[in-house]
């Protein structure tokens, strides 16, 4: 189990997202649709159309990370 630091929020995108999107596309969704700052240190979780793929966008203090499963 991975512990999330205290105060960190996990935001889930409500609808499916094109899983071909990378850093720029996902951070644009965070800014435009979720009205949040992708550089806030929170985790932003996106799912594919079928629901079997996930991508997580995170800021680690030096750059954006995209984790995919």
């Amino acid at each position: 189990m991975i512990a999330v630091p205290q105060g960190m929020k996990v935001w889930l995108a409500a609808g499916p997202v094109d899983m071909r999107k990378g850093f720029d596309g996902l951070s644009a969704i965070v800014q435009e649709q979720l009205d949040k700052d992708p550089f806030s240190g929170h985790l932003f979780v996106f799912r594919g159309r079928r629901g079997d793929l996930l991508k997580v966008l995170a800021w680690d203090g030096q750059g954006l990370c995209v984790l995919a499963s």
Side-chain angles (χ1 to χ4, degrees):
M1 182 165 141
I2 299 174
V4 177
Q6 189 172 0
M8 178 182 280
K9 294 182 180 179
V10 179
W11 296 92
L12 302 174
V17 173
D18 183 357
M19 288 287 107
R20 296 175 291 182
K21 292 188 183 292
F23 301 105
D24 295 333
L26 294 175
S27 62
I29 291 172
V30 170
Q31 291 174 336
E32 296 168 5
Q33 294 180 7
L34 300 177
D35 197 29
K36 303 293 178 198
D37 180 14
F39 307 107
S40 63
H42 300 303
L43 299 178
F44 299 94
V45 181
F46 305 91
R47 70 172 186 91
R49 187 182 69 220
R50 294 184 308 190
D52 61 343
L53 298 174
L54 292 176
K55 280 193 175 180
V56 178
L57 183 68
W59 173 257
D60 69 356
Q62 295 181 348
L64 285 171
C65 300
V66 175
L67 308 166
S69 118

